[in-house]
Amino acid sequence: MNQTTTDEQTLSQSIEDLLVARNPRGMKEAQCALTPGYYRRAARLMRDIKGTVLIGTGFPVVDTFETDGPVGAIALYNALEKLGAQPVIVCGPPLSTSMADQFRVHEIKVGPHNQREQEAQQALQQLQPELIISIERPGQAADGNYYNMRGEDISPRAACFDTFMQQASCPTIAIGDGGNEIGMGNIQDALKNLDIVPAATTCSELVIADVSNWAAHGLIALLGWWKQQDLLADIDPEAILQYLSERGSVDGVTRLNTLTEDGMPASEGISVIHELRKLTGFNN
């Protein structure tokens, strides 16, 4: 296959349109604020990395964590590891303790504290990342607090990953699906009509989708297309959801311990992977 820049751009835009087609939280409208090709630009930052990649995830819901974010983080972790990078998941408890048995995890402190800057500085110095990815992590609003999709202040339960993004000397990618996640500071004006308290934290490249997990799959689709490797075929969303459910996850919309993502059955995510594989020529 002759993979020219034009081909990449066309594929990227097809992925971008596919991943906001359902539009449950207004991301199709927000898409207009992003320069087309944002999936390609973000995936290119991931393409040749052999060093450390930090993947921040974990959106607090009640006293636990939601399924959206960790599913995509695990998929990115596995794909990047296959491609020769060393991913590390950065999150706070209870997600950090839940995942430490199978993944490299760097734990960060939950709730407001005056060591946030130092916590990030020490981690960045120790881990020396070549890239930082935030997927479905709450982002600080203009007032410095964290808010969920209902407008509730969740600051006491949120760990701060914003400082990692702000202090990074490497490129940063942020993934979100509602406007209150890290990275949405890139398109704040486009979020004014949404019924949320928008996040103010910015990033090098913002990637949006109807469900943040699906954005991870979109990025992996491009990585696989470049490598001519069907990386998406290795992803089993139901198995990952089962793994997380056994560790106490809940759906971010329903707040129930179910094998769902943002109120949608696992079959929706599987259908998205099927469509992405068709777009990249692995499932004709």
Side-chain angles (χ1 to χ4, degrees), residues 49-54 85-88 127-132 170:
I49 287 182
K50 300 302 180 188
T52 299
V53 179
L54 302 186
Q86 176 146 322
V88 177
L127 298 169
Q128 294 289 310
E130 293 181 18
L131 176 69
I132 299 178
C170 61

Side-chain angles (χ1 to χ4, degrees), residues 16 40 73 103 119 154 159 185 194 196 219 233 251:
E16 288 153 29
R40 176 181 65 86
F103 302 93
E119 179 180 58
I154 57 168
L194 300 182
I196 48 129
L219 292 169
D251 184 291

Side-chain angles (χ1 to χ4, degrees), residues 241-280:
L241 283 166
Q242 184 65 44
Y243 167 83
L244 294 168
S245 174
E246 289 166 1
R247 287 152 177 79
S249 65
V250 295
D251 184 291
V253 173
T254 66
R255 297 183 171 182
L256 299 174
N257 179 264
T258 52
L259 305 188
T260 55
E261 308 166 287
D262 280 357
M264 300 186 203
S267 58
E268 283 290 302
I270 292 167
S271 172
V272 166
I273 290 175
H274 177 80
E275 291 300 315
L276 287 168
R277 291 180 69 220
K278 280 174 65 176
L279 284 175
T280 49

